[in-house]
Amino acid sequence: MEGIHEKIKEIIDHFRLNNNSFSKRIGVTSTTIDSITNGRPQADGSRKRTKPGYDLLTSIIKEFNINPEYLFGMNSQMFASDKKEFQTYAGIPQVVAVNQDGEENVVYVPVKARAGYLDGYGDAGYIETLPSFSMPHLTNGTYRCFEVQGNSMVRTFFDGDLVFGKYVEDLSDIKDGRVYIIVSRNDGIVLKRVINRIEERGKLILKSDNKDGNYPTYTINAEEIMEVWYVTMFASKQMPEPVDVYDRLHDLESKIVLLENALQQKN
């Protein structure tokens, strides 16, 4: 008969999580889950597994709707009911990347990886294939870097820019008028300015900053959303065009210089 540590490992694999992301979902450290599923190394070279406590098992049952009898090998049905096995929106990313010190890295999603990301965003093996790096100023949260594609946000972001997003833990935290990266089943990965109508209508309103008429405003249903990332920083090769006030100041400065030269010539 399978041990309880094997049952926990099966739950982790079923939801396509790793030990770190699984531990966050139930409010414990990844070291705790590692010691249960893999065991702690002993002096004789063996590994000793930690037995999960009541509170930890209760957290797993509640968070993932697990059948208690499944955990103890008394029933082969993993779930307690016929509820959806996958949550529409999780409070944390399903997979994160960490460095050797256990600190989270920023995962980079280039344009060429977008199609694969829609299927692999919850797959630890896939996320490991994407570039990741440390950003010292991006702390207190999970961050991901996406390459901008297209011109729908021109005036603010340009094709090829890099935007850094912080994972939004609750859809109700989305603030009107801010820019977010929305990952959804039907629309893929989009960068938009968002109006939050989740509570009233179960929808987000997505707007483009490009006003040339080719990018109409549209809505997306909450159940379609897989991830939301709040854009906190970006990197661009584009130098911003001066606004009109600077143009007028430059023109005025030029006229003053020419006037001064003319006066000097008269004198």
Side-chain angles (χ1 to χ4, degrees), residues 171-172 195-204 222:
L171 295 179
S172 64
I195 304 298
N196 189 349
R197 294 297 177 265
I198 292 291
E199 184 174 344
E200 302 95 323
R201 302 178 186 175
K203 300 176 182 291
L204 295 179

Side-chain angles (χ1 to χ4, degrees), residues 70-98:
Y70 169 82
L71 277 174
F72 295 100
M74 300 167 61
N75 194 307
S76 61
Q77 181 179 333
M78 182 180 290
F79 298 96
S81 68
D82 294 330
K83 293 180 181 178
K84 289 179 66 175
E85 298 178 7
F86 290 91
Q87 297 184 4
T88 301
Y89 195 84
I92 59 169
Q94 292 197 29
V95 180
V96 297
V98 296

Side-chain angles (χ1 to χ4, degrees), residues 32-262:
T32 298
I33 301 302
D34 287 339
S35 67
I36 293 171
T37 57
N38 301 319
R40 294 180 179 275
Q42 305 297 302
D44 61 0
S46 64
R47 301 185 75 88
K48 183 178 180 181
R49 290 190 177 89
T50 301
K51 292 184 178 181
Y54 174 80
D55 290 342
L56 187 146
L57 293 175
T58 301
S59 296
I60 293 174
I61 291 169
K62 289 182 177 179
E63 175 66 21
F64 297 99
N65 191 40
I66 299 300
N67 178 6
E69 292 186 351
Y70 169 82
L71 277 174
F72 295 100
M74 300 167 61
N75 194 307
S76 61
Q77 181 179 333
M78 182 180 290
F79 298 96
S81 68
D82 294 330
K83 293 180 181 178
K84 289 179 66 175
E85 298 178 7
F86 290 91
Q87 297 184 4
T88 301
Y89 195 84
I92 59 169
Q94 292 197 29
V95 180
V96 297
V98 296
N99 59 25
Q100 294 180 345
D101 298 323
E103 299 169 336
E104 289 192 21
N105 276 340
V106 177
V107 174
Y108 170 49
V109 185
V111 167
K112 64 181 181 181
R114 283 188 168 208
Y117 186 84
L118 295 178
D119 293 325
Y121 74 98
D123 183 348
Y126 173 77
I127 293 298
E128 288 177 358
T129 67
L130 298 175
S132 64
F133 51 89
S134 174
M135 290 288 286
H137 297 295
L138 299 181
T139 56
N140 300 321
T142 297
Y143 291 83
R144 201 144 289 177
C145 176
F146 294 84
E147 183 180 1
V148 176
Q149 182 180 35
N151 299 311
S152 70
M153 292 298 285
V154 163
R155 292 176 57 189
T156 309
F157 305 104
F158 295 84
D159 188 56
D161 285 356
L162 303 180
V163 291
F164 294 81
K166 180 180 180 180
Y167 190 81
V168 177
E169 296 183 355
D170 192 323
L171 295 179
S172 64
D173 292 334
I174 296 174
K175 307 298 183 185
D176 290 352
R178 292 183 177 179
V179 177
Y180 295 85
I181 301 136
I182 309 293
V183 183
S184 69
R185 305 181 193 283
N186 294 330
D187 296 317
I189 301 172
V190 297
L191 177 70
K192 296 293 180 183
R193 202 169 293 278
V194 177
I195 304 298
N196 189 349
R197 294 297 177 265
I198 292 291
E199 184 174 344
E200 302 95 323
R201 302 178 186 175
K203 300 176 182 291
L204 295 179
I205 301 172
L206 308 185
K207 303 174 64 177
S208 299
D209 283 359
N210 190 332
K211 303 303 180 184
D212 65 5
N214 293 322
Y215 304 97
T217 297
Y218 65 97
T219 62
I220 183 172
N221 295 324
E223 58 267 22
E224 299 174 21
I225 301 170
M226 299 187 293
E227 292 182 337
V228 177
W229 304 83
Y230 168 48
V231 175
T232 61
M233 187 173 76
F234 75 100
S236 177
K237 296 178 182 179
Q238 300 283 338
M239 294 299 293
E241 295 292 334
V243 295
D244 291 343
V245 64
Y246 289 110
D247 289 337
R248 292 195 294 268
L249 285 173
H250 292 160
D251 185 54
L252 180 60
E253 288 173 346
S254 299
K255 290 179 178 179
I256 290 173
V257 170
L258 292 174
L259 181 59
E260 288 176 344
N261 290 338

